[in-house]
Amino acid sequence: MEAYIVEILFGGFFALLLLGAPITVSLAGAAMVAFLVLGKNPIAFVQIAFTSVGSFPLMALPAFVLAGALMEAAGISKRLVDIAETLAGPITGGLGAATVLACLFFGAISGSGPATTAAVGMLMIPAMVNRKYERSYASAVTAASGGLGIIIPPSIPMVIFGISALGMAPPSDAVEKYGQFASLSIPKLFVAGVIPGFIMAGALLLTNYMISNKRGYRGLTEKWSYGEIGQALRRGTWSVLAPVIILGGIYTGLFTPTESAIVAIFYTLFVGLVLHRELKFAAVLNSLKTTTWITGRVLLILFAAVVFGRLLVEQRIPATIAESLLSLTDNVYMIWTLIIVFLLFVGMFMETLAAIMILVPVLLPVMYMMGADPTHVGIVVICTLSVGFQTPPLGENLFVASGIGGSTVEQIVSRIHPFVLASTASIFLIAFVPQLTLWLPQMLGY
């Protein structure tokens, strides 16, 4: 490894970021300079970037984004929120709990943190304010819960992690020491995310209960009304069936994640146009515009990140970082602690998908050398980066919740830190106990 290449790649990347360049330009600019310094043909830069979007699994990205946008327009998200409200019933802080549950439900069909925050927040923040919840607290619990959108499968970051990691074989030293590693696939990541997602949601529910009990936020009703629960379930039958069909098809092997995303689109169109009759042509056009914008932005980052990552691997930078870390400590818990703290910091400043594409080539070899399962690594990385949605200065969910709820970002931040701490504690639990992630995939034969 040439030391000056590290300086060019990372120094150039951060220098351009500080100058205000978009992350795509920062990645591509640093990578291009490194290409030229190494005497490589610049045409290869374009060829690597172009082939990076040729993978079949990547087709799931625009499809899941479109499916999530259409489901909101088709009234599916509203029915999921109604179900969550009736299930919360008399629980202290019932509307806050319903918000967490609604984000859990919507995350199973959206795959996006900001999309989940927007869809649920538009319904739940005004409802909480009407029930005398502090406006900034209502926005905070929504922003914190929106991060579940990328943990509960199907998840767009899981697709990106899978694509980034699939081409990375374990180092020979790691194989010699630990034997062959378990396989990694996007369906396996989807299955592995279920239990960690419920753990993260449970931590948010507990935090909401404790705060609501202290502030006197009471439940929606005196007791559960099974009639209302039944009515909400009947109205939302087709909404609840959406994640069942999508995830059930993947887990049973009936179709791949990419194919499931297409199924989700056609299912949503059928429900919105034929059954609910709430999906209008203008909403479909708006969903297509949203999908085009989000997908185009992600693919541009992917172009540059793949080349950047390729240079890192060619120069053995990940291997050098792994050796440096292992020279400090061989305690797996200490390594996990360092990585989680680092990812929490990165999540504050970098968009989740970009962080995954840049950091996977660096972090995965380190964890291979510790004998970690790549699926477990992927879930911990995604759970940790999900906290970045609720922490400033980037915190996309904060800005979405602020725009919907009317509170300033500063007011929301002052109320969100208990949820950040609860999420972080959950991440350490998930990292330190791998079976929480790996048990379900093993049970299903992955």
Side-chain angles (χ1 to χ4, degrees), residues 116-358:
T116 301
T117 303
V120 175
M122 283 189 290
L123 300 168
M124 295 306 299
I125 293 177
M128 282 189 275
V129 171
N130 289 337
R131 296 282 296 193
K132 309 303 181 186
Y133 282 65
E134 188 180 5
R135 186 177 295 273
S136 58
Y137 177 77
S139 300
V141 70
T142 306
S145 304
L148 296 172
I150 72 167
I151 303 170
I152 296 296
S155 160
I156 294 169
M158 286 182 190
V159 173
I160 297 300
F161 181 91
I163 292 168
S164 302
L166 280 171
M168 297 187 63
S172 56
D173 292 348
V175 175
E176 185 178 333
K177 184 175 181 180
Y178 298 104
Q180 288 297 324
F181 285 81
S183 62
L184 173 72
S185 67
I186 294 172
K188 186 176 180 180
L189 283 167
F190 281 2
V191 175
V194 173
I195 293 176
F198 281 112
I199 291 172
M200 298 280 283
L204 297 178
L205 285 170
L206 179 60
T207 305
N208 171 72
Y209 176 84
M210 294 169 64
I211 295 173
S212 298
N213 190 49
K214 182 179 178 181
R215 297 188 178 183
Y217 298 149
R218 299 304 170 201
L220 292 167
T221 57
E222 293 298 322
K223 59 181 181 179
W224 274 288
S225 170
Y226 297 105
E228 289 183 8
I229 292 174
Q231 185 179 1
L233 287 171
R234 282 193 298 273
R235 286 188 70 248
T237 298
W238 298 106
S239 301
V240 174
L241 276 178
V244 172
I245 292 172
I246 296 167
L247 299 179
I250 295 171
Y251 296 165
T252 58
L254 190 61
F255 36 71
T256 67
T258 303
E259 292 164 346
S260 76
I262 306 301
V263 170
I265 291 172
F266 282 99
Y267 177 83
T268 304
L269 288 172
F270 174 74
V271 171
L273 294 172
V274 178
L275 301 176
H276 292 171
R277 298 182 181 179
E278 294 179 19
L279 190 59
K280 306 300 181 185
F281 182 70
V284 174
L285 283 181
N286 188 56
S287 298
L288 289 170
K289 289 177 183 176
T290 300
T291 303
T292 303
W293 165 248
I294 294 175
T295 304
R297 186 182 65 178
V298 172
L299 289 181
L300 283 173
I301 296 172
L302 181 63
F303 284 158
V306 166
V307 182
F308 193 92
R310 180 76 64 87
L311 284 170
L312 291 178
V313 174
E314 286 179 359
Q315 298 299 311
R316 297 194 74 253
I317 294 171
T320 304
I321 293 173
E323 291 167 5
S324 301
L325 271 176
L326 295 175
S327 68
L328 293 174
T329 177
D330 59 358
N331 185 305
V332 67
Y333 300 112
M334 185 60 67
I335 296 290
W336 268 127
T337 300
L338 292 172
I339 287 176
I340 290 169
V341 171
F342 173 68
L343 288 172
L344 288 171
F345 176 77
V346 169
M348 294 170 65
F349 298 95
M350 190 177 294
E351 197 268 340
T352 302
L353 299 182
I356 290 172
M357 288 182 276
I358 295 168

Side-chain angles (χ1 to χ4, degrees), residues 74-100:
I76 289 177
S77 59
K78 184 180 186 307
R79 286 165 174 80
L80 291 175
V81 168
D82 290 342
I83 292 171
E85 285 185 356
T86 57
L87 290 176
I91 297 173
T92 297
L95 273 177
T99 300
V100 178

